[in-house]
Amino acid sequence: MNQAQRRTEIVANLGTVRARVADACTAAGRAADDVTVVVVTKFFPASDVRILAELGVRAVGENRYQEAAEKAAECADLGLRWHFIGGIQSNKAAAIARFADVVESVDRAKLVGALGRGAHEAGRIVDCLIQVSLDEPGAVGRSGAEIAEIPALAEAIAGSGSLRLRGLMAVAPLGTPARPAFERLAEVASAFRADHPEAGVLSAGMSGDLEDAIACGATHVRIGSAVLGARPGIK
Ligand SMILES: *Cc1c(COP(=O)(O)O)cnc(C)c1O
């Protein structure tokens, strides 16, 4: 596929996703500009990021440090906001804070010191979301902080001079319907906002479940395959 064909494909897909978001906002009685689409560009080339920027996308998401750092550098002229949405190894946290504008996957206190140090050394303020686990206790491959761990994590982030606490992020559990999990998340988010009114971001919802997430109050949806197509290896 050449660049012109790729652009045509992305235009169509992005239009469909924007219409889904608008419909979900209408159904939920929310304003369409209440929800930001973060296009997840992991596995896709910088040339796709350029097309997205031309089409008005302002936020992109990546989940692997090396790939994300390289792509962000290659696309530095586009003025995009780079969201880091993947699991973070402690020894990569400082480096992630050097390029990411938003780190959505802060799930343990151990990361906070290193993120803050990386941000400080780069002379940046990095927005942080606490990733909350919606999995059953003991589930395989679960990621995210336990609900009981949120207050301490929030304190740690808010206490760092180079990090800004912005809200919560979650991924629906695999293999079960998303809606009940997002309803639980909405309750957690509401309690969290009472303590941290400045941190109203709720990042939830992906290609398959963005309607449920928006119905449950998501302010950000992270959309990969519905915009860019199936990722290599996950067809
Ligand atoms: C890959 C990824 C997404 C995007 O998933 P799609 O189903 O392709 O939309 C969203 N959130 C996280 C955390 C991801 O890793």
Side-chain angles (χ1 to χ4, degrees):
M1 193 186 309
N2 66 31
Q3 272 306 97
Q5 287 166 327
R6 179 61 171 154
R7 191 177 200 284
T8 303
E9 180 174 69
I10 292 175
V11 166
N13 290 347
L14 191 61
T16 302
V17 165
R18 285 175 169 157
R20 283 175 64 191
V21 169
D23 286 349
C25 286
T26 303
R30 302 176 58 190
D33 62 2
D34 219 29
V35 176
T36 301
V37 176
V38 178
V39 179
V40 177
T41 49
K42 66 192 184 196
F43 289 97
F44 289 101
S47 53
D48 282 355
V49 179
R50 277 185 192 278
I51 292 171
L52 291 166
E54 284 169 19
L55 300 176
V57 170
R58 302 266 52 102
V60 292
E62 288 282 336
N63 72 336
R64 293 181 305 176
Y65 161 67
Q66 190 70 33
E67 177 185 352
E70 287 173 12
K71 229 180 279 180
E74 221 176 316
C75 297
D77 57 309
L78 300 178
L80 297 171
R81 281 176 69 72
W82 291 82
H83 290 235
F84 194 85
I85 61 172
I88 301 174
Q89 291 173 264
S90 302
N91 64 354
K92 295 289 184 348
I96 287 168
R98 293 179 162 276
F99 72 87
D101 299 289
V102 186
V103 178
E104 298 203 9
S105 42
V106 184
D107 63 356
R108 58 197 190 278
K110 195 179 172 198
L111 297 176
V112 174
L115 286 169
R117 180 164 45 78
H120 177 74
E121 285 168 3
R124 320 176 63 233
I125 303 285
V126 175
D127 285 352
C128 291
L129 306 184
I130 296 173
Q131 183 175 353
V132 181
S133 174
L134 298 176
D135 298 309
E136 294 301 324
V140 185
R142 72 201 300 270
S143 55
E146 301 294 328
I147 288 163
E149 294 169 335
I150 296 174
L153 207 38
E155 286 300 306
I157 294 168
S160 160
S162 302
L163 304 178
R164 188 160 50 194
L165 179 66
R166 294 300 310 277
L168 303 179
M169 177 272 226
V171 179
L174 273 179
T176 61
R179 186 61 170 256
F182 286 152
E183 283 169 358
R184 270 187 287 133
L185 177 66
E187 285 173 26
V188 172
S190 151
F192 179 78
R193 252 174 236 164
D195 291 337
H196 301 279
E198 74 292 356
V201 171
L202 183 59
S203 171
M206 319 201 311
S207 293
D209 56 23
L210 72 87
E211 286 84 1
D212 287 316
I214 290 172
C216 295
T219 63
H220 289 62
V221 292
R222 308 176 306 270
I223 309 299
S225 49
V227 174
L228 295 171
R231 289 180 285 277
I234 61 160
K235 280 214 155 91

